[in-house]
Amino acid sequence: MPKATQLSFLGIAKETTPGTPVASTSFIPVTQITPKDNLTLLDDKGYRGALVEVYDQVAGVLSGSLDFDGDVYPDTIGFPLAGIFGDVVTSGASAPFTHTFSVLNNSGGQPTSYTLNDNYVAGNRQYAGAKFSELSFKFTADGLLTYSAKTTTFGSATASAPTTSFTTVPPMVGWQGVAQIAAVTQTGLLDGEVTIKRPVTIINPVDGSQAPSQLWSGPVSVDGKATLVMEDDTALTQYLTTVKPAIDFNFTAGAGAAAVQLKLHMSKCSISAADITRGKDYIEVPITFTALANITDVGASGGYSPIKVTIQNAIASGTYK
């Protein structure tokens, strides 16, 4: 009998020892889950007096990956943010708590690893050692704030299905956002996108194990796009004069203890394109930019960071990292 896609679910938990699986402590509503075990098959091509090429395939090293997409819930989005940055600072004595994420620049710079739990109805598998390699956000005024996350993991293993408990906080909506470029509020912002990338290198030593010894997180980079209604030459002038403005996308909702937020703050951005576009009844100017490393967007570990991401929710300190 076929298995219903809608019965799938994704769990997550931070690990004490990287690569050692743990039971899920939180569950993330997602719209897509793409798991994969990456088994290397090695060809046996030894000559045997016959006009053939491959006689056998033997198992080589094994790793995995699990990518997922979804709408931004201001509590569960903290897991991929902590997983790609590593530096997490939480403030507040009661809800709403404020969590700030920046690049970790001490202790080897390695962010927390996670165990991801993929329940696909026909079975349940854990992907341990997960390191986030990409996290991108997209938004328009008439849609939800969405994200896509990519991870590199150890090979999967079967596990008992956990008991789920999902967030009751609603997802964030695009129109709830306010954008600023060079501290000027953009009333004509139509859409935007911010992509955070961090390469994860699989280290496979000769140590008697098919699994990697480490999944090593590299340097962080941040790029983005935005489409503006063209009302004047400001964006084009910033591009042509190589001004490096601060860019902010700030989404807020609720009040009091129920207040929530996701803020993407980039203190120094290089605008690499600002094209005058006439595809509609009004002129647009799509811009692309790169967030540059600076000493303003750093966290507790200091150094440099190209972006500082802040979320606000009812989750207490110690949950994400």
Side-chain angles (χ1 to χ4, degrees):
M1 178 182 295
K3 307 301 180 183
T5 297
Q6 290 78 9
L7 294 177
S8 303
F9 63 82
L10 178 69
I12 192 168
K14 60 181 180 180
E15 297 175 344
T16 301
T17 303
T20 300
V22 293
S24 294
T25 56
S26 298
F27 298 87
I28 304 175
V30 293
T31 56
Q32 182 69 276
I33 310 174
T34 308
K36 186 177 182 181
D37 280 291
N38 300 306
L39 174 63
T40 302
L41 294 175
L42 305 173
D43 293 340
D44 174 4
K45 295 183 177 182
Y47 297 154
R48 288 167 170 78
L51 284 171
V52 295
E53 185 176 15
V54 179
Y55 291 89
D56 198 5
Q57 289 186 323
V58 297
V61 294
L62 173 65
S63 63
S65 64
L66 193 150
D67 303 340
F68 55 97
D69 304 342
D71 306 316
V72 172
Y73 296 82
D75 47 5
T76 56
I77 194 62
F79 290 104
L81 284 168
I84 202 164
F85 287 119
D87 190 318
V88 184
V89 177
T90 300
S91 60
S94 61
F97 297 95
T98 299
H99 312 271
T100 303
F101 304 85
S102 298
V103 177
L104 183 66
N105 287 310
N106 59 17
S107 303
Q110 294 303 294
T112 300
S113 64
Y114 297 86
T115 296
L116 297 171
N117 186 97
D118 177 25
N119 185 283
Y120 48 96
V121 189
N124 188 85
R125 303 189 77 86
Q126 290 180 329
Y127 290 77
K131 291 287 194 73
F132 285 83
S133 59
E134 185 172 319
L135 179 60
S136 62
F137 296 93
K138 293 183 179 181
F139 57 88
T140 60
D142 57 357
L144 295 174
L145 174 61
T146 65
Y147 74 95
S148 296
K150 296 181 180 181
T151 72
T152 299
T153 72
F154 283 62
S156 71
T158 57
S160 299
T163 301
T164 59
S165 177
F166 287 96
T167 177
T168 59
V169 179
M172 306 204 79
V173 183
W175 63 260
Q176 294 172 329
V178 174
Q180 289 189 323
I181 300 177
V184 177
T185 299
Q186 302 297 304
T187 58
L189 178 72
L190 299 175
D191 57 57
E193 179 178 346
V194 175
T195 300
I196 306 156
K197 292 184 179 181
R198 185 166 199 175
V200 176
T201 301
I202 300 169
I203 300 177
N204 286 308
V206 180
D207 62 354
S209 174
Q210 188 182 23
S213 64
Q214 293 187 69
L215 301 176
W216 188 259
S217 298
V220 174
S221 63
V222 180
D223 295 291
K225 301 176 182 179
T227 304
L228 306 171
V229 174
M230 191 171 196
E231 298 176 344
D232 55 39
D233 272 351
T234 299
L236 179 59
T237 301
Q238 288 170 335
Y239 162 57
L240 293 174
T241 58
T242 63
V243 171
K244 295 179 174 61
I247 296 179
D248 291 271
F249 301 114
N250 188 20
F251 300 84
T252 60
V260 293
Q261 178 188 38
L262 170 73
K263 182 178 182 179
L264 307 169
H265 172 71
M266 296 153 282
S267 291
K268 185 180 179 182
C269 294
S270 174
I271 298 175
S272 55
D275 301 323
I276 300 171
T277 304
R278 296 179 174 86
K280 298 179 181 177
D281 289 338
Y282 53 87
I283 299 174
E284 298 176 335
V285 54
I287 66 170
T288 60
F289 60 87
T290 298
L292 304 175
N294 63 86
I295 59 174
T296 302
D297 296 340
V298 298
S301 62
Y304 287 77
S305 180
I307 187 173
K308 178 176 5 182
V309 181
T310 302
I311 62 173
Q312 197 175 58
N313 54 39
I315 305 299
S317 177
T319 300
Y320 303 123
K321 178 183 176 184

